[in-house]
Amino acid sequence: MRSRTLLCIASLAAVAAAPALAQEDNAMFNNPSKITVEGGENVYNAVCRGCHMPEGAGAVGAGAYPALAGNANLEYPEYPIFIILNGQKAMPPLGGVLDDQQIADVVRYIQTHFGNDYSSEVTAESVAASRP
């Protein structure tokens, strides 16, 4: 009987703590200081690689994550900047978690890797101008 009581108390504590934990997790996506890596490849590996895969091939699972490899939509930087800032479908908005320089760096990285050969001038200032 005592173990049942302890189990019940532990279960209630977990349920009571869940909203606080969820708020803490969501706070990460609203605080740019949470992602501190620098450089396009490092940002890609820390944030993008899990869904878009190491070689940019994309994936299908809990959502559909498009391939970045050979993706003609990446030719113009405005497209990936918009998607990174605002999210789309299974991709969450990352504008609150990445600063302008990190976004510019990762856009340049995906434009010039994975078989892509797009060169454009992407700057932190151009990302800032695209923010809502």
Side-chain angles (χ1 to χ4, degrees):
M1 181 67 149
R2 185 166 187 224
S3 63
R4 250 190 201 169
T5 303
L6 290 175
L7 180 61
C8 184
I9 291 171
S11 296
L12 289 173
V15 168
L21 292 174
Q23 286 178 335
E24 188 175 299
D25 287 345
N26 286 336
M28 181 185 97
F29 288 101
N30 295 317
N31 186 345
S33 67
K34 293 289 184 176
I35 304 293
T36 58
V37 296
E38 296 178 10
E41 182 175 11
N42 293 331
V43 172
Y44 183 84
N45 287 332
V47 180
C48 314
R49 178 182 173 145
C51 297
H52 292 284
M53 300 292 110
E55 299 302 319
V60 175
Y65 307 97
L68 300 176
N71 188 331
N73 289 329
L74 301 177
E75 181 176 0
Y76 302 100
E78 295 81 9
Y79 178 78
I81 289 170
F82 178 85
I83 299 299
I84 292 167
L85 287 172
N86 301 294
Q88 183 179 24
K89 297 182 183 175
M91 182 170 163
L94 298 173
V97 101
L98 297 173
D99 66 30
D100 297 339
Q101 189 61 57
Q102 290 169 312
I103 293 172
D105 290 346
V106 79
V107 168
R108 275 195 304 271
Y109 178 77
I110 63 176
Q111 284 187 310
T112 58
H113 288 77
F114 315 121
N116 298 323
D117 188 21
Y118 307 121
S119 60
S120 59
E121 187 62 31
V122 185
T123 64
E125 292 77 23
S126 63
V127 174
S130 298
R131 285 188 180 271

